[in-house]
């Protein structure tokens, strides 16, 4: 039995378990080209064991209260992941990361998932500030941030490496007091 949190009648968050590594890896593997364009961990995730190691690391982060990871499902099908990372309980802030299988893009799913995660972060974890950093060229991720109620703060120039190349990141923030 999987622990889930409903987003709407079709979408839910599933609490990840190491036993789900193969299922998650299969989704990553089928979407390597799509996801690999802006996520440099995709080529590094070569085996089911790599995914299992990642899940264990994130679960330890959940124990340490520095991370919060969910699988996104449509009905019972795993279609993506979303997380809070760099959780700072003192300042009450965190950063959001996400990915979605190609067949489920452009349907408003990630916008719903981000909004649901914001509600969870603000209401359950009592965080006050969330941020999203998106590679400037990743139009879809930037659109998700804007459509999810985040405010564009600015461009962080050459703030990240993507496949060894410096990239600009767009920074978005949302406060618990924002509507």
């Amino acid at each position: 039995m999987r622990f889930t949190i409903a987003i709407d009648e079709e979408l839910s968050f599933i609490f990840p378990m190491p036993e789900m590594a193969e299922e998650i890896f299969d989704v990553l593997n089928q979407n390597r080209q799509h996801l690999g364009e802006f996520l440099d961990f995709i080529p590094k995730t070569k085996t089911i064991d790599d995914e299992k190691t990642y899940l264990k690391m994130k679960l330890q982060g959940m124990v340490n209260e520095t991370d919060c990871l969910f699988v996104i499902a449509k009905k019972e099908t795993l279609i993506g992941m979303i997380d809070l990372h760099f959780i700072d309980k003192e300042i009450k802030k965190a950063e959001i990361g996400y990915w979605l299988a190609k067949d489920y893009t452009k349907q408003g799913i990630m916008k719903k998932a981000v909004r649901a995660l914001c509600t969870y972060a603000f209401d359950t974890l009592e965080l006050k500030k969330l941020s999203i950093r998106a590679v400037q060229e990743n139009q879809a991720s930037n659109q998700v941030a804007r459509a999810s109620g985040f405010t564009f703060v600015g461009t962080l120039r050459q703030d990240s490496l993507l496949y060894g190349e410096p990239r600009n990141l767009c920074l978005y923030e949302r406060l618990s007091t924002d509507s």
Side-chain angles (χ1 to χ4, degrees):
M1 182 171 170
R2 295 179 170 171
F3 174 73
T4 63
I5 299 172
I7 298 172
D8 64 18
E9 53 282 342
E10 288 190 332
L11 299 172
S12 62
F13 290 147
I14 300 174
F15 185 81
M17 299 299 290
E19 304 84 61
M20 298 171 70
E22 184 173 356
E23 200 173 355
I24 295 167
F25 180 78
D26 287 346
V27 176
L28 283 175
N29 214 24
Q30 294 165 15
N31 288 274
R32 281 191 182 278
Q33 185 174 355
H34 163 69
L35 297 173
E37 185 176 0
F38 296 112
L39 303 173
D40 64 358
F41 70 84
I42 299 297
K44 298 172 190 171
T45 309
K46 297 177 183 174
T47 66
I48 294 166
D49 283 340
D50 292 339
E51 186 61 34
K52 193 176 287 188
T53 299
Y54 171 77
L55 289 173
K56 287 179 181 178
M57 176 193 71
K58 293 302 268 187
L59 289 170
Q60 185 59 51
M62 292 173 88
V63 169
N64 297 339
E65 298 183 320
T66 58
D67 294 272
C68 183
L69 176 69
F70 292 109
V71 175
I72 303 168
K74 184 170 184 177
K75 298 187 179 176
E76 293 298 315
T77 303
L78 303 187
I79 62 171
M81 296 187 88
I82 190 166
D83 79 325
L84 295 168
H85 50 271
F86 306 133
I87 296 174
D88 185 320
K89 296 291 275 186
E90 186 177 345
I91 300 174
K92 297 185 179 291
K93 68 176 186 169
E95 188 172 310
I96 297 176
Y98 45 81
W99 62 262
L100 193 62
K102 185 176 182 175
D103 289 347
Y104 297 93
T105 61
K106 299 179 183 175
Q107 299 174 34
I109 291 171
M110 192 54 75
K111 177 178 80 169
K112 288 180 183 179
V114 170
R115 286 182 174 184
L117 187 64
C118 289
T119 299
Y120 180 81
F122 294 143
D123 295 350
T124 303
L125 301 180
E126 299 180 344
L127 298 179
K128 300 295 182 193
K129 177 182 171 181
L130 299 173
S131 62
I132 294 174
R133 295 170 189 250
V135 173
Q136 191 170 26
E137 295 84 7
N138 187 341
Q139 293 178 6
S141 191
N142 282 279
Q143 177 56 33
V144 165
R146 289 188 298 273
S148 301
F150 282 72
T151 300
F152 176 72
V153 177
T155 301
L156 306 171
R157 297 175 2 167
Q158 296 188 5
D159 197 61
S160 178
L161 289 178
L162 183 62
Y163 302 110
E165 295 293 322
R167 294 297 181 101
N168 294 342
L169 294 179
C170 294
L171 176 62
Y172 299 88
E173 294 177 341
R174 183 171 170 188
L175 302 178
S176 60
T177 55
D178 293 344
S179 55

